[in-house]
Amino acid sequence: MPYTQGSFEGLPDAARQRLTEMRGGAGKKGLFTSDLSVNEFLLCQEANFDPVGLVMGSSIYHIGFQMQKFYQNQELEVLTQAMYEARELAMTRMEEEADLLGADGIVGVRLEVNRYEWGAAMAEFMAIGTAIKHRGGGSYRTLDNRPFTSDLSGQDFWTLLKAGYQPLALVMGTCVYHVAHQGVMQSMKQTGKNVEMPNYTQALYDARELALSRMQAEAEREGAVGIVGAQVRENSHGWDSHVIEYFAVGTAVKPIEGVQAVPEPTMTISLNG
Amino acid sequence: MANFWVGSVSASELLALKHIGVEPVGQVYGVSVKGLATSYFPVVTSEVVGEVEGFSQMLSECMFLINAQADQVGANGVLDCKVDYDVDLELIDIGYLKYTLQITGTAVQDRDSKCEHRYFATMSPCELIAMRKAGYEPCGLAIGNCTYFQVAWRQQPKLGPFGTWANEEIKELTQGPYTAREIAMERLMNMARNVGGTGIVGVQLETEVSPSGSLVLGTMAAFCRMFLYGTAIRSNPFPSSQVSVMTTVPIGRD
């Protein structure tokens, strides 16, 4: 489900009504919710952003099946596609909620995947964050007019802005990969020796590279100059021991036009240990 | 023994609290354990009312106990509140679960509190100081909870190429945790409004989807539990000063 401006597909009616009411008016007092800590809340305020609501998107997804070649390294495209599509569904719904709140962006985004013992091929994908709005009405939305998204904490968000950059989008790249099993002859040849295991090395390299290049391509499409806080996580999601997911995620950023000098940091000695 | 107290505040927090006229007076604790039958009609999507009502009673009991302790030590605020809600799913098969709700915190006598009632807050003493300096104050705990039973009318997964199973979203089941969150969020917000809050910070979200047998062949069903809590805040009519933020580099390793 790609993001469409003005669409609220997938959101329950009750969510639409509640989010509209949170903005205040029609006899109801506005009220914001946020999972920001007190320090994060105060730093967002200091940076001229007000939290407007805790937003969430979720999707329970049936992950398809793909045959694997036992002795071959290969990407499992059906599974990669599932991981992409389900995360995209959750992200899009979270962005739609932020739209309903009139937000400029979402900070502290967490992407979670829960697998349940009872649903072998199913997974619940969740995206959660706090929608924020700029007090001065500055333009912080992305090229295609989506609210910006970022997995940065309130502290990192404040520091990023002070450094003269603004977040654009939470970018991600994923690759589900089958690592080939060793042949009997190869295993016998290696017995008792120190040797590199080239098929394993190559598989991990390939999978990580595919995930990173996809994340980078997403950032380039957003018009970013770089990605901060990039991480590559290795997940297994309960699949076969030779099937792994490499998931690269980070916040794409661009410089804020006409920004001042970066404030000089003060050196401090902490009293805590 | 006069003025003897036990609290979870650290030495630096104690120093900071003294500075703003807040005195820790003791550790307070409320707990409620209940066994509730999960009565539901297994073919109908609906809220599990028995469980939700049970939670509501547990919350009242917990708050009663913790308030009684706070009364004894003469506190007008409770900081560092930890809220722990636990459902023991091991017993799900016999339709009778054990529910535990615990709330703990450090009771304080707050000289400058403008709150008309005793406030409960999840924030630490240092966070209270930062909040107050920025012109806000805590006005109470906000808690929201919902258990929703969701049935998905689904025959078989879609077939993909070469007879394999295809990727697809299970739309009806997705609505379960969504609806549970909506109801819980509404309750959280109402509780915040009731104590005079204009916002809620530090919302913690605990979610769980657990399966249930459905009586109808070809359907899937799940209990979707959503538990939310945070601290309701409002503007303090007498802000003390502006918070100054500076970029610092700590000397030494973490």
Side-chain angles (χ1 to χ4, degrees), chain B residues 82-134:
Chain B
K82 307 269 185 298
V83 185
D84 185 20
Y85 179 49
D86 183 54
V87 183
D88 191 348
L89 287 178
E90 292 298 308
L91 302 166
I92 198 161
D93 286 339
I94 53 167
Y96 186 80
L97 306 180
K98 189 180 88 184
Y99 298 77
T100 312
L101 180 68
Q102 299 182 72
I103 305 177
T104 55
T106 302
V108 293
Q109 279 170 356
D110 186 344
R111 194 187 60 202
D112 292 339
S113 172
K114 304 285 183 294
C115 212
E116 307 76 29
H117 50 262
R118 177 179 297 132
Y119 66 81
F120 288 81
T122 55
M123 57 189 67
S124 69
C126 288
E127 287 176 327
L128 174 77
I129 296 164
M131 262 286 167
R132 194 159 279 179
K133 278 192 179 295

Short mmCIF file of all heavy atoms in Angstrom, two decimals, chain B residues 82-134:
data_model
loop_
_atom_site.label_atom_id
_atom_site.label_comp_id
_atom_site.label_asym_id
_atom_site.label_seq_id
_atom_site.Cartn_x
_atom_site.Cartn_y
_atom_site.Cartn_z
N LYS B 82 6.10 3.07 38.90
CA LYS B 82 6.25 1.95 37.96
C LYS B 82 4.92 1.21 37.96
O LYS B 82 4.41 0.85 39.04
CB LYS B 82 7.35 0.99 38.41
CG LYS B 82 8.70 1.65 38.68
CD LYS B 82 9.57 1.67 37.46
CE LYS B 82 10.95 2.20 37.73
NZ LYS B 82 11.03 3.59 38.20
N VAL B 83 4.37 1.01 36.77
CA VAL B 83 3.10 0.29 36.66
C VAL B 83 3.37 -1.02 35.95
O VAL B 83 3.92 -1.04 34.85
CB VAL B 83 2.07 1.12 35.86
CG1 VAL B 83 0.72 0.43 35.86
CG2 VAL B 83 1.93 2.52 36.44
N ASP B 84 3.02 -2.11 36.59
CA ASP B 84 3.33 -3.41 36.02
C ASP B 84 2.05 -4.23 35.95
O ASP B 84 1.45 -4.54 36.98
CB ASP B 84 4.39 -4.08 36.92
CG ASP B 84 4.85 -5.40 36.33
OD1 ASP B 84 4.68 -5.59 35.13
OD2 ASP B 84 5.36 -6.24 37.10
N TYR B 85 1.63 -4.57 34.73
CA TYR B 85 0.41 -5.35 34.55
C TYR B 85 0.80 -6.66 33.88
O TYR B 85 1.45 -6.67 32.83
CB TYR B 85 -0.57 -4.56 33.67
CG TYR B 85 -1.86 -5.28 33.38
CD1 TYR B 85 -2.60 -5.87 34.39
CD2 TYR B 85 -2.36 -5.36 32.07
CE1 TYR B 85 -3.78 -6.53 34.12
CE2 TYR B 85 -3.55 -6.00 31.80
CZ TYR B 85 -4.25 -6.59 32.83
OH TYR B 85 -5.44 -7.23 32.56
N ASP B 86 0.41 -7.75 34.50
CA ASP B 86 0.83 -9.04 33.99
C ASP B 86 -0.35 -10.00 33.88
O ASP B 86 -1.15 -10.12 34.81
CB ASP B 86 1.90 -9.61 34.96
CG ASP B 86 2.45 -10.92 34.47
OD1 ASP B 86 2.90 -10.96 33.32
OD2 ASP B 86 2.38 -11.91 35.22
N VAL B 87 -0.46 -10.64 32.72
CA VAL B 87 -1.49 -11.65 32.53
C VAL B 87 -0.77 -12.98 32.36
O VAL B 87 0.08 -13.12 31.48
CB VAL B 87 -2.35 -11.36 31.27
CG1 VAL B 87 -3.46 -12.39 31.14
CG2 VAL B 87 -2.92 -9.96 31.32
N ASP B 88 -1.09 -13.95 33.21
CA ASP B 88 -0.42 -15.25 33.14
C ASP B 88 -1.12 -16.12 32.10
O ASP B 88 -2.14 -16.74 32.36
CB ASP B 88 -0.48 -15.90 34.53
CG ASP B 88 0.43 -17.11 34.60
OD1 ASP B 88 0.88 -17.56 33.54
OD2 ASP B 88 0.66 -17.60 35.72
N LEU B 89 -0.51 -16.17 30.90
CA LEU B 89 -1.15 -16.88 29.79
C LEU B 89 -1.04 -18.40 29.90
O LEU B 89 -1.69 -19.12 29.17
CB LEU B 89 -0.53 -16.44 28.46
CG LEU B 89 -0.90 -15.05 27.98
CD1 LEU B 89 -0.19 -14.72 26.70
CD2 LEU B 89 -2.40 -14.91 27.79
N GLU B 90 -0.22 -18.87 30.82
CA GLU B 90 -0.04 -20.32 30.96
C GLU B 90 -1.37 -21.03 31.25
O GLU B 90 -1.56 -22.18 30.93
CB GLU B 90 0.92 -20.62 32.12
CG GLU B 90 2.35 -20.19 31.85
CD GLU B 90 2.94 -20.91 30.66
OE1 GLU B 90 2.88 -22.14 30.64
OE2 GLU B 90 3.46 -20.24 29.75
N LEU B 91 -2.27 -20.27 31.87
CA LEU B 91 -3.52 -20.90 32.31
C LEU B 91 -4.65 -20.73 31.30
O LEU B 91 -5.79 -21.02 31.60
CB LEU B 91 -3.95 -20.30 33.65
CG LEU B 91 -2.93 -20.43 34.78
CD1 LEU B 91 -3.31 -19.52 35.93
CD2 LEU B 91 -2.87 -21.86 35.27
N ILE B 92 -4.30 -20.26 30.09
CA ILE B 92 -5.37 -19.88 29.15
C ILE B 92 -6.26 -21.05 28.76
O ILE B 92 -7.45 -20.88 28.51
CB ILE B 92 -4.75 -19.19 27.91
CG1 ILE B 92 -5.83 -18.41 27.17
CG2 ILE B 92 -4.07 -20.20 26.99
CD1 ILE B 92 -5.28 -17.38 26.23
N ASP B 93 -5.72 -22.25 28.74
CA ASP B 93 -6.49 -23.38 28.24
C ASP B 93 -7.71 -23.72 29.08
O ASP B 93 -8.69 -24.23 28.58
CB ASP B 93 -5.60 -24.62 28.11
CG ASP B 93 -4.68 -24.48 26.92
OD1 ASP B 93 -5.01 -23.67 26.01
OD2 ASP B 93 -3.66 -25.14 26.89
N ILE B 94 -7.64 -23.43 30.36
CA ILE B 94 -8.83 -23.73 31.17
C ILE B 94 -9.72 -22.49 31.32
O ILE B 94 -10.63 -22.47 32.12
CB ILE B 94 -8.47 -24.32 32.54
CG1 ILE B 94 -7.46 -23.42 33.26
CG2 ILE B 94 -7.95 -25.74 32.42
CD1 ILE B 94 -7.30 -23.75 34.72
N GLY B 95 -9.42 -21.46 30.55
CA GLY B 95 -10.30 -20.30 30.51
C GLY B 95 -10.29 -19.48 31.77
O GLY B 95 -11.25 -18.80 32.11
N TYR B 96 -9.19 -19.55 32.53
CA TYR B 96 -9.13 -18.84 33.81
C TYR B 96 -7.71 -18.34 33.97
O TYR B 96 -6.77 -19.12 34.07
CB TYR B 96 -9.50 -19.84 34.92
CG TYR B 96 -9.63 -19.23 36.28
CD1 TYR B 96 -10.78 -18.57 36.65
CD2 TYR B 96 -8.58 -19.33 37.18
CE1 TYR B 96 -10.90 -18.02 37.92
CE2 TYR B 96 -8.70 -18.79 38.45
CZ TYR B 96 -9.86 -18.13 38.80
OH TYR B 96 -9.98 -17.58 40.05
N LEU B 97 -7.52 -17.05 33.94
CA LEU B 97 -6.17 -16.48 33.95
C LEU B 97 -5.90 -15.72 35.24
O LEU B 97 -6.82 -15.24 35.89
CB LEU B 97 -6.00 -15.50 32.78
CG LEU B 97 -6.31 -16.02 31.39
CD1 LEU B 97 -6.08 -14.93 30.38
CD2 LEU B 97 -5.46 -17.22 31.05
N LYS B 98 -4.60 -15.60 35.56
CA LYS B 98 -4.22 -14.84 36.75
C LYS B 98 -3.74 -13.46 36.31
O LYS B 98 -2.87 -13.36 35.44
CB LYS B 98 -3.10 -15.57 37.50
CG LYS B 98 -2.81 -14.95 38.85
CD LYS B 98 -1.70 -15.70 39.56
CE LYS B 98 -0.35 -15.13 39.15
NZ LYS B 98 0.78 -15.84 39.69
N TYR B 99 -4.31 -12.43 36.89
CA TYR B 99 -3.96 -11.05 36.52
C TYR B 99 -3.31 -10.37 37.72
O TYR B 99 -3.81 -10.50 38.83
CB TYR B 99 -5.22 -10.25 36.15
CG TYR B 99 -5.94 -10.80 34.95
CD1 TYR B 99 -6.74 -11.93 35.07
CD2 TYR B 99 -5.83 -10.20 33.70
CE1 TYR B 99 -7.38 -12.47 33.97
CE2 TYR B 99 -6.48 -10.73 32.60
CZ TYR B 99 -7.25 -11.85 32.75
OH TYR B 99 -7.88 -12.38 31.67
N THR B 100 -2.21 -9.68 37.47
CA THR B 100 -1.53 -8.97 38.56
C THR B 100 -1.30 -7.53 38.14
O THR B 100 -0.78 -7.28 37.04
CB THR B 100 -0.16 -9.62 38.87
OG1 THR B 100 -0.34 -11.02 38.98
CG2 THR B 100 0.44 -9.08 40.15
N LEU B 101 -1.68 -6.61 38.98
CA LEU B 101 -1.40 -5.20 38.73
C LEU B 101 -0.64 -4.64 39.93
O LEU B 101 -1.08 -4.80 41.07
CB LEU B 101 -2.69 -4.42 38.50
CG LEU B 101 -2.53 -2.91 38.24
CD1 LEU B 101 -1.88 -2.66 36.89
CD2 LEU B 101 -3.88 -2.20 38.26
N GLN B 102 0.51 -4.03 39.67
CA GLN B 102 1.31 -3.47 40.77
C GLN B 102 1.69 -2.04 40.42
O GLN B 102 2.07 -1.77 39.27
CB GLN B 102 2.61 -4.24 40.94
CG GLN B 102 2.42 -5.70 41.28
CD GLN B 102 3.76 -6.39 41.48
OE1 GLN B 102 4.44 -6.15 42.45
NE2 GLN B 102 4.12 -7.21 40.53
N ILE B 103 1.59 -1.16 41.37
CA ILE B 103 2.06 0.22 41.19
C ILE B 103 2.98 0.56 42.36
O ILE B 103 2.61 0.37 43.52
CB ILE B 103 0.89 1.23 41.12
CG1 ILE B 103 -0.09 0.83 40.02
CG2 ILE B 103 1.39 2.65 40.88
CD1 ILE B 103 -1.32 1.70 39.91
N THR B 104 4.18 1.01 42.06
CA THR B 104 5.11 1.41 43.13
C THR B 104 5.57 2.84 42.85
O THR B 104 5.50 3.30 41.71
CB THR B 104 6.37 0.52 43.18
OG1 THR B 104 6.97 0.55 41.88
CG2 THR B 104 6.04 -0.89 43.55
N GLY B 105 6.07 3.51 43.86
CA GLY B 105 6.57 4.87 43.65
C GLY B 105 7.20 5.43 44.91
O GLY B 105 7.15 4.82 45.98
N THR B 106 7.81 6.60 44.76
CA THR B 106 8.42 7.27 45.92
C THR B 106 7.53 8.45 46.31
O THR B 106 7.33 9.38 45.51
CB THR B 106 9.83 7.78 45.55
OG1 THR B 106 10.61 6.67 45.13
CG2 THR B 106 10.49 8.48 46.72
N ALA B 107 6.99 8.38 47.54
CA ALA B 107 6.10 9.44 48.02
C ALA B 107 6.92 10.67 48.39
O ALA B 107 8.02 10.53 48.95
CB ALA B 107 5.31 8.95 49.22
N VAL B 108 6.41 11.84 48.05
CA VAL B 108 7.13 13.08 48.36
C VAL B 108 6.18 14.13 48.95
O VAL B 108 4.98 14.10 48.68
CB VAL B 108 7.81 13.69 47.10
CG1 VAL B 108 8.92 12.81 46.58
CG2 VAL B 108 6.80 13.99 46.00
N GLN B 109 6.77 15.02 49.73
CA GLN B 109 6.04 16.22 50.15
C GLN B 109 6.57 17.34 49.26
O GLN B 109 7.75 17.70 49.35
CB GLN B 109 6.30 16.51 51.62
CG GLN B 109 5.43 15.67 52.53
CD GLN B 109 5.83 15.77 53.99
OE1 GLN B 109 6.81 16.43 54.35
NE2 GLN B 109 5.09 15.10 54.84
N ASP B 110 5.69 17.85 48.42
CA ASP B 110 6.12 18.81 47.41
C ASP B 110 5.59 20.19 47.82
O ASP B 110 4.39 20.47 47.70
CB ASP B 110 5.54 18.37 46.05
CG ASP B 110 6.04 19.20 44.91
OD1 ASP B 110 6.57 20.30 45.16
OD2 ASP B 110 5.88 18.77 43.75
N ARG B 111 6.49 21.04 48.27
CA ARG B 111 6.10 22.35 48.80
C ARG B 111 5.44 23.24 47.75
O ARG B 111 4.49 23.96 48.02
CB ARG B 111 7.37 23.03 49.34
CG ARG B 111 7.18 24.23 50.22
CD ARG B 111 8.52 24.85 50.51
NE ARG B 111 9.19 25.26 49.27
CZ ARG B 111 10.50 25.44 49.15
NH1 ARG B 111 11.30 25.21 50.15
NH2 ARG B 111 11.03 25.83 47.99
N ASP B 112 5.94 23.14 46.49
CA ASP B 112 5.48 24.08 45.47
C ASP B 112 4.42 23.51 44.52
O ASP B 112 4.15 24.11 43.48
CB ASP B 112 6.68 24.57 44.64
CG ASP B 112 7.59 25.45 45.47
OD1 ASP B 112 7.11 25.97 46.49
OD2 ASP B 112 8.77 25.58 45.11
N SER B 113 3.90 22.34 44.81
CA SER B 113 2.92 21.74 43.89
C SER B 113 1.67 22.61 43.81
O SER B 113 1.13 23.04 44.83
CB SER B 113 2.54 20.34 44.36
OG SER B 113 1.49 19.86 43.56
N LYS B 114 1.22 22.86 42.58
CA LYS B 114 -0.01 23.66 42.39
C LYS B 114 -1.21 22.75 42.13
O LYS B 114 -2.29 23.20 41.83
CB LYS B 114 0.16 24.62 41.20
CG LYS B 114 1.37 25.54 41.31
CD LYS B 114 1.13 26.66 42.30
CE LYS B 114 2.29 27.64 42.37
NZ LYS B 114 3.53 27.07 42.89
N CYS B 115 -0.96 21.43 42.19
CA CYS B 115 -2.00 20.46 41.89
C CYS B 115 -3.00 20.41 43.05
O CYS B 115 -2.60 20.39 44.22
CB CYS B 115 -1.33 19.09 41.73
SG CYS B 115 -2.17 18.06 40.58
N GLU B 116 -4.31 20.39 42.73
CA GLU B 116 -5.35 20.40 43.77
C GLU B 116 -5.41 19.07 44.50
O GLU B 116 -5.93 18.99 45.61
CB GLU B 116 -6.74 20.67 43.15
CG GLU B 116 -6.85 21.90 42.28
CD GLU B 116 -6.22 21.69 40.91
OE1 GLU B 116 -6.20 20.53 40.43
OE2 GLU B 116 -5.73 22.69 40.33
N HIS B 117 -4.92 18.01 43.85
CA HIS B 117 -4.97 16.69 44.48
C HIS B 117 -3.56 16.10 44.51
O HIS B 117 -2.64 16.68 43.97
CB HIS B 117 -5.90 15.77 43.68
CG HIS B 117 -5.59 15.79 42.22
ND1 HIS B 117 -6.27 16.57 41.33
CD2 HIS B 117 -4.62 15.19 41.49
CE1 HIS B 117 -5.77 16.41 40.12
NE2 HIS B 117 -4.77 15.58 40.20
N ARG B 118 -3.44 14.92 45.14
CA ARG B 118 -2.13 14.24 45.16
C ARG B 118 -1.81 13.77 43.74
O ARG B 118 -2.66 13.16 43.09
CB ARG B 118 -2.20 13.05 46.10
CG ARG B 118 -0.92 12.24 46.13
CD ARG B 118 -1.03 11.08 47.09
NE ARG B 118 -1.22 11.52 48.43
CZ ARG B 118 -2.15 11.03 49.26
NH1 ARG B 118 -2.96 10.08 48.85
NH2 ARG B 118 -2.27 11.49 50.48
N TYR B 119 -0.63 14.09 43.25
CA TYR B 119 -0.30 13.65 41.89
C TYR B 119 0.56 12.40 41.90
O TYR B 119 1.35 12.17 42.82
CB TYR B 119 0.39 14.77 41.09
CG TYR B 119 1.76 15.18 41.60
CD1 TYR B 119 2.89 14.45 41.27
CD2 TYR B 119 1.91 16.30 42.41
CE1 TYR B 119 4.14 14.81 41.74
CE2 TYR B 119 3.16 16.68 42.88
CZ TYR B 119 4.26 15.93 42.54
OH TYR B 119 5.50 16.27 43.01
N PHE B 120 0.38 11.56 40.87
CA PHE B 120 1.22 10.39 40.65
C PHE B 120 1.91 10.60 39.31
O PHE B 120 1.28 11.04 38.35
CB PHE B 120 0.35 9.12 40.57
CG PHE B 120 -0.21 8.71 41.90
CD1 PHE B 120 -1.35 9.33 42.41
CD2 PHE B 120 0.40 7.73 42.65
CE1 PHE B 120 -1.86 8.96 43.63
CE2 PHE B 120 -0.10 7.35 43.89
CZ PHE B 120 -1.24 7.97 44.38
N ALA B 121 3.20 10.31 39.23
CA ALA B 121 3.92 10.55 37.99
C ALA B 121 4.97 9.48 37.76
O ALA B 121 5.58 8.99 38.71
CB ALA B 121 4.60 11.92 38.04
N THR B 122 5.16 9.10 36.48
CA THR B 122 6.18 8.10 36.16
C THR B 122 7.56 8.75 36.07
O THR B 122 8.55 8.06 35.93
CB THR B 122 5.86 7.41 34.82
OG1 THR B 122 5.73 8.43 33.83
CG2 THR B 122 4.60 6.60 34.89
N MET B 123 7.61 10.06 36.14
CA MET B 123 8.89 10.75 35.93
C MET B 123 9.79 10.67 37.16
O MET B 123 9.32 10.56 38.29
CB MET B 123 8.66 12.19 35.51
CG MET B 123 7.85 13.01 36.44
SD MET B 123 7.42 14.62 35.74
CE MET B 123 6.33 14.23 34.41
N SER B 124 11.10 10.72 36.89
CA SER B 124 12.08 10.68 37.97
C SER B 124 12.16 12.06 38.61
O SER B 124 11.68 13.04 38.03
CB SER B 124 13.45 10.28 37.40
OG SER B 124 13.93 11.34 36.61
N PRO B 125 12.80 12.17 39.79
CA PRO B 125 12.91 13.49 40.43
C PRO B 125 13.58 14.52 39.51
O PRO B 125 13.13 15.67 39.44
CB PRO B 125 13.77 13.20 41.66
CG PRO B 125 13.48 11.79 42.00
CD PRO B 125 13.30 11.10 40.68
N CYS B 126 14.64 14.13 38.80
CA CYS B 126 15.32 15.10 37.92
C CYS B 126 14.41 15.55 36.79
O CYS B 126 14.45 16.70 36.36
CB CYS B 126 16.61 14.50 37.37
SG CYS B 126 17.86 14.37 38.65
N GLU B 127 13.59 14.62 36.28
CA GLU B 127 12.65 14.99 35.22
C GLU B 127 11.60 15.96 35.74
O GLU B 127 11.16 16.86 35.03
CB GLU B 127 12.00 13.73 34.64
CG GLU B 127 12.95 12.92 33.78
CD GLU B 127 12.35 11.62 33.28
OE1 GLU B 127 11.55 11.01 34.01
OE2 GLU B 127 12.70 11.19 32.19
N LEU B 128 11.20 15.78 37.01
CA LEU B 128 10.23 16.70 37.61
C LEU B 128 10.81 18.12 37.65
O LEU B 128 10.13 19.10 37.34
CB LEU B 128 9.88 16.24 39.04
CG LEU B 128 9.00 17.21 39.82
CD1 LEU B 128 7.55 17.11 39.35
CD2 LEU B 128 9.07 16.99 41.31
N ILE B 129 12.10 18.20 37.99
CA ILE B 129 12.75 19.51 38.08
C ILE B 129 12.78 20.17 36.71
O ILE B 129 12.42 21.35 36.55
CB ILE B 129 14.18 19.36 38.66
CG1 ILE B 129 14.08 18.83 40.09
CG2 ILE B 129 14.94 20.68 38.62
CD1 ILE B 129 15.37 18.28 40.63
N ALA B 130 13.17 19.41 35.68
CA ALA B 130 13.24 19.95 34.31
C ALA B 130 11.85 20.40 33.85
O ALA B 130 11.68 21.47 33.27
CB ALA B 130 13.80 18.90 33.37
N MET B 131 10.85 19.57 34.14
CA MET B 131 9.46 19.88 33.77
C MET B 131 9.02 21.21 34.39
O MET B 131 8.46 22.07 33.74
CB MET B 131 8.55 18.82 34.38
CG MET B 131 8.14 17.72 33.48
SD MET B 131 6.95 18.32 32.33
CE MET B 131 6.88 17.04 31.17
N ARG B 132 9.29 21.32 35.72
CA ARG B 132 8.84 22.50 36.46
C ARG B 132 9.54 23.75 35.95
O ARG B 132 8.92 24.79 35.79
CB ARG B 132 9.13 22.28 37.94
CG ARG B 132 8.42 23.24 38.80
CD ARG B 132 8.31 22.73 40.20
NE ARG B 132 7.22 21.78 40.32
CZ ARG B 132 6.92 21.16 41.45
NH1 ARG B 132 7.64 21.37 42.52
NH2 ARG B 132 5.91 20.34 41.51
N LYS B 133 10.81 23.61 35.66
CA LYS B 133 11.55 24.77 35.16
C LYS B 133 11.02 25.21 33.80
O LYS B 133 11.07 26.38 33.45
CB LYS B 133 13.04 24.44 35.06
CG LYS B 133 13.77 24.57 36.39
CD LYS B 133 15.26 24.53 36.19
CE LYS B 133 16.02 24.67 37.50
NZ LYS B 133 15.82 25.98 38.13
N ALA B 134 10.53 24.23 33.02
CA ALA B 134 10.01 24.57 31.69
C ALA B 134 8.57 25.04 31.74
O ALA B 134 7.97 25.34 30.70
CB ALA B 134 10.14 23.36 30.78
#
